[in-house]
Amino acid sequence: MVSRNDDGQLVAQAQAGDLSAFDELVRRHHGPIYCYLYRTCRNGAEAEEMTQESFVKAWEGLRGFRGRASFKTWLYRIATNLCINRVSRRKPQDPLSEEMPASRRDEPEEVLRQRLLSERIGRALEALPADQRSALVLSIYDEMSHEEIAEAMGRSPASVNSLLYRARIGIRQALEAAGARSLMRVPAIGNRGFRVYTIEEHEV
Amino acid sequence: MSTPLKNMKCDEVKLMLAGLADGRLSERDARAVEEHLAGCANCRQELESLKSDAALLRQDPKPEVPVWLASRIMAGVRERREQARPQLASTAPVGQYGLSRSWARAAAVVLAVAGIWLGTLLGRGIAGSQPSLGERLAAYGVQILDEEGM
């Protein structure tokens, strides 16, 4: 039975052919990798498939992993390569994200706002080139440092600064175009938590 | 950052503003950028916009991870491991002489060329009045195989 705390020990055991050690690595990292891929491709089935493929590739390439980067950033690098290749192979006419279910009349306002906001953020992210989108998702949602992003994307830290800057400019324009900002929760004046936003004015 | 940090220009600062907005700059870089911000209203405004964009993006809820995903991944890994086994066997020695497949192929090519060369010599022998090479070798009990016989 395996009882380990750090990835390094698990990786060493998995490199020696211990499948249960690799299973533990999968359990630790599959969630963040899935969320990263989902956010970059906005499609659950594709994200699931690419997450599986990332780990299968990791298993196959494990003997070549020397530990210069962390196992986590190495996994992200595999996932990033898969994702960028897949996104750049898409034809312009292909629908990018899965369609959101139609809204229901009885849907609570907060649920509706959240759903619309998510859809519009997704549309804004899709407007970015694949490498900018990956860098932005790693920075905002995975909270990686620029050095970690550089490792995960196989780039220099300086080029990541520039890539992220372009991504931030691009996402601002895309968020405006998608109408996401009007659905943002903003702090209320005083101590009442958040100001109530109105959804009636937005098309559903 | 390798550039001198004092007296940074707006273009250089802008590349680092996202890092500052997300709290990911080193102490030294953050201090240099803040020095610039103290005297530059444009960059201060840009920093506020970056913070606002990040706050909006972070309101996107975390995707729900399918509960079966870890099992699906491991099923894929096991399947690939099984597929890899026969491939490993295919690189094992072939036949009683322990030749690998690639060496066996190379040997077959060499023998084929030798066969063609001998065939040509035999043809010349038949055409002339002297006994052919085949006949001479046969006298010593040596039989020459053609390509098909290899």
Side-chain angles (χ1 to χ4, degrees):
Chain A
M1 186 62 206
V2 260
S3 139
R4 320 90 161 173
N5 293 320
D6 66 297
D7 282 353
Q9 198 183 340
L10 286 169
V11 168
Q13 286 172 280
Q15 282 175 323
D18 180 349
L19 205 58
S20 75
F22 193 75
D23 191 3
E24 178 60 26
L25 288 167
V26 167
R27 285 181 197 284
R28 282 184 186 185
H29 296 286
H30 79 284
I33 293 284
Y34 172 82
C35 291
Y36 164 58
L37 290 168
Y38 181 87
R39 282 196 159 111
T40 46
C41 75
R42 307 302 286 197
N43 183 300
E46 264 192 281
E48 227 182 279
E49 198 185 306
M50 283 193 287
T51 306
Q52 186 189 35
E53 212 179 326
S54 300
F55 280 95
V56 169
K57 279 184 180 293
W59 169 257
E60 287 177 327
L62 204 57
R63 283 176 194 276
F65 174 68
R66 296 278 170 263
R68 280 193 298 268
S70 69
F71 180 71
K72 182 183 115 177
T73 50
W74 184 66
L75 267 180
Y76 271 91
R77 186 158 181 174
I78 295 171
T80 300
N81 287 339
L82 278 175
C83 178
I84 290 179
N85 283 341
R86 171 121 17 157
V87 170
S88 54
R89 273 207 313 269
R90 276 175 175 163
K91 293 171 190 158
Q93 66 268 26
D94 285 350
L96 293 175
S97 55
E98 0 180 71
E99 284 194 13
M100 301 290 280
S103 66
R104 300 191 327 261
R105 279 194 170 278
D106 58 346
E107 196 167 25
E109 194 170 308
E110 171 56 19
V111 176
L112 175 60
R113 182 196 74 87
Q114 194 65 258
R115 200 165 61 74
L116 283 172
L117 179 64
S118 184
E119 187 187 335
R120 289 174 192 193
I121 288 176
R123 219 186 298 155
L125 282 167
E126 282 167 8
L128 296 180
D131 56 350
Q132 289 183 24
R133 194 186 316 168
S134 285
L136 190 69
V137 170
L138 291 172
S139 166
I140 297 283
Y141 300 104
D142 292 282
E143 301 192 333
M144 282 192 182
S145 69
H146 291 200
E147 287 73 21
E148 285 176 313
I149 296 172
E151 274 176 13
M153 297 190 72
R155 286 168 175 260
S156 68
S159 80
V160 165
N161 282 346
S162 153
L163 186 69
L164 272 173
Y165 180 67
R166 282 182 280 130
R168 298 293 281 258
I169 298 296
I171 198 70
R172 185 176 304 158
Q173 291 163 352
L175 286 169
E176 294 298 341
R181 203 170 298 279
S182 55
L183 291 166
M184 185 180 182
R185 279 187 132 195
V186 289
I189 299 165
N191 296 323
R192 300 182 63 195
F194 291 98
R195 179 167 70 81
V196 179
Y197 35 81
T198 53
I199 289 178
E200 289 83 358
E201 42 190 273
H202 304 290
E203 65 174 272
V204 177
Chain B
M1 189 94 184
S2 58
T3 52
L5 295 178
K6 287 240 173 207
N7 304 318
M8 291 174 82
K9 291 181 180 159
C10 290
D11 287 349
E12 295 167 307
V13 168
K14 278 180 179 169
L15 291 180
M16 299 167 83
L17 280 180
L20 185 71
D22 300 336
R24 308 227 178 83
L25 285 191
S26 69
E27 208 176 308
R28 176 172 166 262
D29 287 352
R31 211 178 314 120
V33 173
E34 276 160 4
E35 267 176 35
H36 175 91
L37 289 176
C40 180
N42 280 343
C43 286
R44 279 201 304 275
Q45 195 181 347
E46 178 65 17
L47 179 66
E48 288 313 307
S49 299
L50 286 169
K51 283 181 179 173
S52 163
D53 295 339
L56 173 57
L57 289 169
R58 288 194 183 102
Q59 286 187 19
D60 189 19
K62 193 177 172 185
E64 211 169 297
V65 181
V67 287
W68 58 82
L69 186 54
S71 307
R72 179 184 164 174
I73 292 167
M74 285 311 294
V77 170
R78 284 193 187 92
E79 192 184 320
R80 193 61 62 90
R81 195 174 67 149
E82 289 306 311
Q83 284 169 357
R85 279 184 177 157
Q87 281 174 15
L88 285 173
S90 73
T91 58
V94 176
Q96 58 177 321
Y97 302 109
L99 288 173
S100 72
R101 282 184 193 277
S102 54
W103 279 108
R105 270 190 222 110
V109 170
V110 169
L111 286 171
V113 170
I116 292 165
W117 178 71
L118 280 173
T120 310
L121 284 179
L122 284 170
R124 281 182 194 154
I126 290 163
S129 56
Q130 296 296 317
S132 71
L133 178 63
E135 287 163 346
R136 277 186 277 158
L137 289 173
Y140 294 97
V142 177
Q143 190 185 358
I144 297 174
L145 297 172
D146 61 10
E147 278 181 86
E148 298 297 319
M150 284 191 294

